[in-house]
């Protein structure tokens, strides 16, 4: 993963703040393996009670869209407001939709 | 010595162990081998400071002479500190720092677990909170021992060197005197024999996985509990206490 043997590989960290919620990307860190990445994530990203579950993913395992393709990929959605569920009433008490 | 005096001394011993090790770990702040490890190590230092405060606050109350936790931490001299000699040893390289923590944690966890059953409710409560923190400390220090021992040739040599150098201070962890005898009888603190067994078992398991050799029990350096320390503690206190000594009562 890393060209430099003195550098640990990079991991992307996802934290679930509360049971039932999704894991959100919070940042990245270096670690020698997955176990160390979880423990480092615990120390770097959950010091202030931010979470109750941690996922780590090798940064090299993530495929990203190309920023330059942004116009082609995302702009066509701009004028298709009918895709937004804005014509529905939100059920009362539904917080996470 | 009565039970009151014994309880005071015992709280100072527990407080001093954590305070001095915390200071040593804090010396790494900003100098850790990796940013992540720097944060992780100083997090553990903060855990230990919290535990030290709990015990020193209790010590101050038990003493009842108007001294505070800060007075106990910053205005006692070397011979009045009753920490175990292991924790005052120099940081050395990172293997040395980790090995010192590992030996301490392997003793500290079973001790705190046993203290949760203390007849003294305050000590039981302090231990109850500490157990979770110390469980994590032992896990990380064990993992690092295994990484170093079973890692590269160089890391293996460094870990074994650290272990050999620090082993002589493990005897001091298990020394028991009048203070312990009085409190064991009162059900306030546990006997050391089961703590020793737990320590031996942890050390055996982790060293086996780390492919490290347990040093032979030779001469053990003891005396920390009576205020007899290695030359390193004086320098540590000079730095730790400088501000309160130079500017008494300073606050920020």
């Amino acid at each position: 993963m890393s060209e430099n043997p003195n550098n640990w590989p990079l991991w992307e960290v996802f934290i679930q703040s509360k049971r039932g919620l999704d894991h959100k990307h919070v940042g990245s860190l270096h670690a020698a393996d997955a176990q160390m990445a979880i423990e480092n994530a615990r120390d770097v990203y959950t010091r202030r009670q931010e979470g109750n579950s941690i996922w780590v993913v090798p940064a090299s395992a993530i495929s990203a869209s190309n920023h330059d393709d942004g116009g082609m990929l995302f702009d066509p959605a701009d004028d298709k407001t009918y895709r937004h569920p804005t014509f529905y009433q939100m059920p009362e008490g539904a917080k996470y939709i | 010595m009565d039970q009151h005096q014994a309880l005071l001394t015992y709280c100072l011993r527990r407080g001093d162990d954590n305070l001095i090790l915390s200071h040593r770990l804090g010396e790494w702040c900003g100098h850790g081998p990796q940013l992540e490890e720097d944060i992780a190590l100083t997090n553990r230092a903060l855990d230990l400071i919290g535990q030290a405060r709990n015990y020193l606050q209790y010590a101050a109350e038990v003493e009842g002479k108007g001294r505070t936790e800060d007075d106990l931490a910053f205005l006692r001299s070397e011979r009045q500190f009753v920490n175990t000699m292991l924790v005052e040893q120099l940081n050395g390289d990172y293997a040395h720092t980790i090995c010192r923590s590992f030996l301490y944690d392997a003793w500290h966890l079973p001790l705190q677990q046993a203290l949760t059953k203390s007849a003294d409710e305050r000590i039981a409560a302090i231990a109850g909170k500490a157990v979770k923190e110390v469980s994590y400390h032992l896990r990380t220090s064990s993992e690092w021992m295994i990484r170093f021992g079973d890692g590269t040739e160089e890391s293996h040599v460094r870990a074994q060197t650290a272990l050999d150098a620090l082993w002589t201070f493990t005897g001091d962890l298990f020394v028991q005197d009048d203070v312990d005898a009085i409190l064991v009888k009162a059900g306030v603190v546990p006997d050391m024999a089961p703590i020793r067994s737990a320590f031996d078992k942890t050390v055996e398991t982790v060293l086996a996985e780390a492919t490290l050799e347990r040093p032979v029990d030779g001469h053990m350096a003891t005396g920390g509990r009576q205020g007899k320390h290695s030359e390193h503690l004086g320098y540590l206190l000079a730095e730790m206490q400088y501000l309160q000594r130079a500017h008494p009562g300073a606050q920020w």
Side-chain angles (χ1 to χ4, degrees):
Chain A
M1 261 174 275
S2 171
E3 301 280 321
N4 181 348
N6 295 321
N7 272 343
W8 289 336
L10 192 67
W11 299 76
E12 299 299 332
V13 181
F14 300 78
I15 304 280
Q16 181 189 45
S17 60
K18 218 168 133 183
R19 276 174 67 89
L21 295 190
D22 50 0
H23 285 67
K24 280 212 163 65
H25 183 241
V26 293
S28 55
L29 50 72
H30 291 91
D33 57 28
Q35 179 66 28
M36 192 194 286
I38 288 174
E39 287 172 14
N40 285 348
R42 179 260 189 195
D43 282 311
V44 176
Y45 291 112
T46 68
R47 306 173 76 214
R48 301 180 185 85
Q49 302 169 300
E50 289 94 336
N52 72 347
S53 170
I54 299 170
W55 288 353
V56 293
V57 179
S60 62
I62 293 182
S63 304
S65 62
N66 188 334
H67 188 71
D68 293 339
D69 293 343
M72 167 172 76
L73 291 176
F74 308 119
D75 289 353
D78 284 352
D79 60 355
K80 300 181 175 64
T81 56
Y82 50 84
R83 289 177 182 167
H84 292 276
T86 49
F87 309 104
Y88 303 95
Q89 289 279 342
M90 279 280 284
E92 259 185 57
K95 283 184 190 160
Y96 305 113
I97 286 186
Chain B
M1 182 186 301
D2 59 11
Q3 191 177 326
H4 183 259
Q5 182 63 33
L7 181 61
L8 170 59
T9 304
Y10 192 82
C11 290
L12 288 174
R13 289 175 179 178
R14 292 288 78 75
D16 289 351
D17 284 346
N18 292 320
L19 179 65
I20 300 302
L21 183 56
S22 172
H23 186 86
R24 279 286 183 235
L25 297 183
E27 288 173 0
W28 275 103
C29 187
H31 302 278
Q34 291 272 138
L35 182 146
E36 291 81 357
E37 192 53 30
D38 191 294
I39 294 172
L41 194 74
T42 42
N43 272 352
R44 301 205 285 281
L46 287 174
D47 288 345
L48 293 173
I49 276 266
Q51 293 172 25
R53 290 191 58 195
N54 287 337
Y55 279 112
L56 293 182
Q57 280 165 358
Y58 191 30
E61 287 171 35
V62 170
E63 186 187 49
K65 290 185 180 164
R67 288 205 286 182
T68 66
E69 51 175 319
D70 287 336
D71 295 331
L72 293 174
F74 298 118
L75 299 177
R76 275 182 302 148
S77 62
E78 188 186 350
R79 287 298 297 266
Q80 295 166 324
F81 269 78
V82 285
N83 56 279
T84 192
M85 292 173 82
L86 176 68
V87 294
E88 72 206 35
Q89 299 310 307
L90 298 173
N91 282 337
D93 61 13
Y94 209 62
H96 214 90
T97 291
I98 290 295
C99 185
R100 185 186 57 204
S101 278
F102 167 67
L103 294 171
Y104 183 74
D105 299 341
W107 164 84
H108 198 204
L109 180 59
L111 176 64
Q112 292 299 334
Q113 283 169 333
L115 285 173
T116 60
K117 301 184 194 84
S118 172
D120 185 305
E121 284 178 17
R122 180 78 168 264
I123 288 185
I126 293 172
K129 182 170 174 291
V131 159
K132 282 184 184 175
E133 294 173 344
V134 179
S135 302
Y136 189 73
H137 297 179
L138 178 59
R139 186 207 275 196
T140 53
S141 58
S142 300
E143 283 177 4
W144 271 110
M145 286 301 285
I146 294 163
R147 285 180 196 282
F148 283 140
D150 196 22
T152 65
E153 200 176 319
E154 182 180 355
S155 71
H156 178 89
V157 169
R158 285 182 183 235
Q160 186 67 56
T161 304
L163 191 60
D164 293 345
L166 291 168
W167 194 254
T168 187
F169 298 106
T170 55
D172 202 36
L173 292 167
F174 299 98
V175 169
Q176 290 201 285
D177 59 9
D178 291 355
V179 170
D180 300 277
I182 291 168
L183 296 176
V184 168
K185 203 172 162 207
V188 174
V189 311
D191 185 63
M192 270 295 159
I195 313 294
R196 174 92 223 190
S197 314
F199 172 87
D200 285 339
K201 193 157 175 272
T202 303
V203 167
E204 189 190 2
T205 312
V206 172
L207 294 193
E209 204 175 332
T211 70
L212 293 168
E213 275 194 40
R214 178 183 170 131
V216 179
D217 286 342
H219 168 74
M220 289 290 174
T222 58
R225 301 304 183 202
Q226 279 71 45
K228 294 174 190 160
H229 296 281
S230 53
E231 69 271 29
H232 306 306
L233 184 66
Y235 293 99
L236 183 153
L237 294 181
E239 187 172 326
M240 187 179 86
Q241 298 182 334
Y242 171 79
L243 198 113
Q244 281 302 323
R245 300 282 192 187
H247 307 280
Q251 296 197 339
W252 64 87

